[in-house]
Amino acid sequence: MLTQIKGLHHVTSMAGDAQENNDFFTRTLGMRRVKKTVNFDDPEVYHLYYGDKSGTPGSVMTYFPFPHIVQGRPGAGEVGDTYFAVPAGSLPYWKERLSGLGVGGLEEYEAFGEKRLRLKGPDGDGFSLVETTDDERLGWSAGGVGTAEAIQGFRGAAFRLQDAGGTGELLRFMNYHEVERSGNWTRFAIEGGNGADVIDIEEVPSAGHARQGAGSVHHIAFAVENRAAQLEVRQALLDTGYQVTPVIDRDYFWAIYFRTPGGILFEVATNEPGFDRDEDTAHLGEALKLPTRYEQFRSQIEDILTPIRD
């Protein structure tokens, strides 16, 4: 069992319009933009990061906004809803706020003993706000949402799979334990995790395959403390038969990637060095930060990227 993994690090999705994406997370959900950079593999596209005050691992939602991307099609083999933790008793506030701002797909429901509010992002992204009673993480309260309601970070995520068996086995290997079943849903959790530590699998044998596009999760990343722990995890995955990439420097963390039996792309990312490695915490997400190899092309990149109004 990979005890080095404590929960989620970040979730990365795809969007259509960068400004609309930025406004939804910073103004509607009240999260902080903690980094404005570019897609390391396609520097003509932004990579935007949203989270708590410092971009704590387990709080960060990230996006690649491609201006002409096709719409994603929901289906099997993908991350469905991403869960955000909010303080107990705050869902009425969120329902009123989101309804007033015209957010679509609002639906109150309960699952695994949790009160939740489902909502859709601007590209049809699936999210749920989940009330928690024992989460001591503090959300970003300078974005128009008070401390008593602010998003505390991730609670976890839901996977939609034709067959849950292989991915369930993988999650058990990754320090998750099966804690409950309800109909075609199975919940996995890490005991003593980082708060962003539950995964729910919905088994949908007859569902068609998802098509990635705007509103789709590109990959989901799990957190380890440092590079030494990451190398241990990588070797254990290789020994188990997974095809794992070499370690890749993403400036704010180191990353490895592999594909799950259900088709979802997993990443294992380090908590180090963090988003303050090139910006003071008080000014996170303000300037366009470029990887070193692209710095010489800054003027060309800035000419291509549409400026984001804060």
Side-chain angles (χ1 to χ4, degrees):
M1 184 181 294
L2 300 175
T3 57
Q4 302 91 336
I5 294 173
K6 302 302 181 183
L8 296 184
H9 185 283
H10 65 270
V11 178
T12 295
S13 294
M14 295 180 289
D17 184 79
Q19 185 68 58
E20 186 177 40
N21 182 262
N22 179 85
D23 291 350
F24 178 76
F25 283 94
T26 62
R27 298 181 183 179
T28 301
L29 295 186
M31 298 172 71
R32 186 182 193 187
R33 192 180 72 210
V34 295
K35 195 62 58 180
K36 180 171 65 173
T37 184
V38 294
N39 185 325
F40 281 27
D41 301 315
D42 185 356
E44 296 182 1
V45 174
Y46 281 115
H47 193 176
L48 304 175
Y49 293 74
Y50 311 98
D52 62 9
K53 179 180 179 180
S54 59
T56 306
S59 77
V60 181
M61 189 81 205
T62 98
Y63 272 86
F64 301 131
F66 292 91
H68 305 294
I69 192 172
V70 300
Q71 183 64 40
R73 182 183 65 219
E78 67 171 355
V79 177
D81 280 9
T82 301
Y83 303 151
F84 289 112
V86 295
S90 65
L91 285 188
Y93 163 87
W94 279 107
K95 185 177 182 182
E96 181 178 358
R97 175 183 176 85
L98 297 176
S99 178
L101 292 172
V103 173
L106 297 181
E107 177 191 357
E108 292 183 89
Y109 69 110
E110 289 194 22
F112 297 110
E114 298 171 335
K115 294 181 179 179
R116 302 178 179 182
L117 177 65
R118 181 175 286 121
L119 62 138
K120 293 292 185 183
D123 290 289
D125 332 38
F127 302 108
S128 287
L129 303 181
V130 181
E131 285 193 352
T132 62
T133 56
D134 55 356
D135 194 331
E136 298 181 356
R137 295 176 294 171
L138 293 177
W140 175 245
S141 58
V145 178
T147 304
E149 296 85 23
I151 290 172
Q152 299 162 291
F154 293 124
R155 173 69 172 131
F159 297 168
R160 190 180 299 118
L161 304 173
Q162 289 180 336
D163 183 348
T167 300
E169 192 91 358
L170 171 61
L171 288 173
R172 292 182 185 92
F173 184 61
M174 292 173 60
N175 202 25
Y176 284 81
H177 303 267
E178 182 180 325
V179 294
E180 190 175 349
R181 294 195 181 200
S182 178
N184 63 330
W185 287 85
T186 305
R187 164 155 286 197
F188 294 85
I190 292 177
E191 185 176 348
N194 66 358
D197 46 24
V198 301
I199 297 292
D200 295 338
I201 296 183
E202 180 187 13
E203 194 166 36
V204 285
S206 60
H209 291 287
R211 181 188 68 191
Q212 283 204 337
S216 301
V217 171
H218 183 271
H219 63 268
I220 185 167
F222 297 83
V224 292
E225 189 61 34
N226 51 43
R227 295 186 71 186
Q230 183 184 62
L231 290 175
E232 294 171 356
V233 169
R234 182 175 185 272
Q235 189 58 56
L237 289 166
L238 288 169
D239 291 345
T240 309
Y242 285 95
Q243 302 297 311
V244 188
T245 67
V247 176
I248 302 171
D249 183 358
R250 297 301 193 193
D251 278 7
Y252 312 107
F253 48 88
W254 283 271
I256 58 175
Y257 302 86
F258 64 102
R259 188 73 62 178
T260 70
I264 297 172
L265 183 61
F266 275 15
E267 175 184 343
V268 178
T270 62
N271 291 347
E272 59 177 5
F275 293 100
D276 61 354
R277 68 172 295 275
D278 58 1
E279 286 182 298
D280 183 86
T281 302
H283 298 286
L284 288 179
E286 294 181 4
L288 176 65
K289 310 304 290 188
L290 297 178
T292 302
R293 67 179 181 273
Y294 293 137
E295 193 60 55
Q296 60 183 315
F297 306 112
R298 174 174 286 274
S299 61
Q300 296 99 306
I301 291 172
E302 289 179 336
D303 285 343
I304 292 169
L305 294 172
T306 302
I308 297 174
R309 302 182 307 277
D310 295 327

